[in-house]
């Protein structure tokens, strides 16, 4: 049976990560608010049949929990989650964890975080019940100027992080911190 993956925030910089997972043989569920954007993620994949689209606002915890319950009931256990979640939604990971860990199931979380996580690592939600992997998005230091990572660099870095399966993986650079680009 195919392995299952969930990509939260899949229709931006994680688009190529979702498509790569499908290519690796995963059944991939992609989450975002805009269904049209999720369709583009699926339709640009070499394995569109491996995709399930979940159009929802992750701030609505009850709705997210219900969607996760239905997904697991339909597909079975989800082994891998890749998430890019804005800080306005701290309940998303505990909500997903509550459903996926039941009853004592194992899963891996690749938690994509902005560069600030280098200085202030986000607290891993208590009792989330997964093997936790933090991915920190850094920046690119040029000779004169620094810049933020492109979507392509981010996707490639996240794929490398999943392959490395380390507790923490840095995409680009986080030091020297003073050379972090201004917004
Ligand atoms: N260190 C770095 O270099 C660095 C770090 C962070 C970001 N960035 C750059 O900044 C750009 C913009 O970042 P971004 O945060 O807009 O990321 P993004 O990856 O472009 O898009 C965010 C993703 O989350 C989904 N999403 C947003 N709010 C949601 C909600 N309430 N419920 C469900 N899904 C939701 C979006 O789909 P919907 O809009 O359809 O909901 C989309 O799939 C990125 O493309 C990246 O290049 C760079």
């Amino acid at each position: 049976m195919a392995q299952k993956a969930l990509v939260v925030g899949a229709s931006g910089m994680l688009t190529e990560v979702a498509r790569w997972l499908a290519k690796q043989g995963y059944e991939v569920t992609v989450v975002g608010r805009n269904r049209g954007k999720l369709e583009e993620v699926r339709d640009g994949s070499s394995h569109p049949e491996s995709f399930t689209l979940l159009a929802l606002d992750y701030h609505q915890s009850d709705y997210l929990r219900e969607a996760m319950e239905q997904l697991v009931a339909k597909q079975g256990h989800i082994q891998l989650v890749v998430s890019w979640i804005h800080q306005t939604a701290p309940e998303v990971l505990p909500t997903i964890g509550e459903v996926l860990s039941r009853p004592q199931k194992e899963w891996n979380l690749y938690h994509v975080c902005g560069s600030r996580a280098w200085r202030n690592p986000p607290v891993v939600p208590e009792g989330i019940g997964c093997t936790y992997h933090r991915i920190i998005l850094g920046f690119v230091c040029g000779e004169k100027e620094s810049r933020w990572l492109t979507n392509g660099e981010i996707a490639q870095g996240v794929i490398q992080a999943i392959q490395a399966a380390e507790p923490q993986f840095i995409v680009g650079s986080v030091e020297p911190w003073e050379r972090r680009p201004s917004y």
Side-chain angles (χ1 to χ4, degrees):
M1 205 160 64
Q3 298 257 99
K4 312 290 186 320
L6 175 72
V7 184
V8 183
S11 51
M13 59 197 183
L14 296 183
T15 293
E16 290 305 327
V17 177
R19 290 175 181 163
W20 175 79
L21 286 167
K23 214 170 169 182
Q24 303 311 301
Y26 281 87
E27 297 276 345
V28 186
T29 298
V30 285
V31 177
R33 286 165 301 186
N34 184 314
R35 189 170 182 85
K37 281 162 64 179
L38 296 175
E39 285 171 355
E40 282 176 27
V41 177
R42 176 195 63 196
D43 295 346
S45 162
S46 53
H47 294 69
E49 71 287 353
S50 302
F51 278 78
T52 298
L53 313 185
L54 212 49
L56 53 77
D57 184 337
Y58 53 48
H59 290 101
Q60 297 178 320
S61 294
D62 289 348
Y63 190 58
L64 174 67
R65 183 178 294 104
E66 197 181 316
M68 288 296 117
E69 303 267 13
Q70 286 177 6
L71 184 67
V72 170
K74 194 171 170 198
Q75 294 201 342
H77 181 53
I78 294 169
Q79 291 88 3
L80 176 68
V81 177
V82 186
S83 71
W84 168 244
I85 299 163
H86 293 159
Q87 286 175 352
T88 53
E91 289 307 313
V92 176
L93 291 178
T95 302
I96 291 174
E98 189 189 316
V99 179
L100 263 51
S101 303
R102 206 189 304 143
Q104 294 183 335
K105 297 275 192 187
E106 291 186 5
W107 57 289
N108 279 272
L109 171 62
Y110 288 85
H111 185 196
V112 182
C113 305
S115 58
R116 285 192 199 96
W118 177 242
R119 288 293 175 97
N120 294 303
V123 177
V124 183
E126 217 172 287
I128 189 168
C130 63
T131 303
Y132 181 86
H133 309 265
R134 180 176 295 129
I135 302 175
I136 300 178
L137 303 178
F139 49 88
V140 178
C141 256
E143 272 185 29
K144 287 187 182 158
E145 289 191 342
S146 301
R147 62 168 176 82
W148 295 112
L149 299 162
T150 64
N151 278 4
E153 289 165 343
I154 291 171
Q156 279 313 308
V158 171
I159 289 168
Q160 284 172 14
I162 295 169
Q163 290 171 322
E166 299 290 345
Q168 180 160 289
F169 190 97
I170 293 163
V171 184
S173 311
V174 284
E175 294 291 354
W177 182 253
E178 311 71 60
R179 294 210 52 205
R180 189 168 164 264
S182 51
Y183 286 95

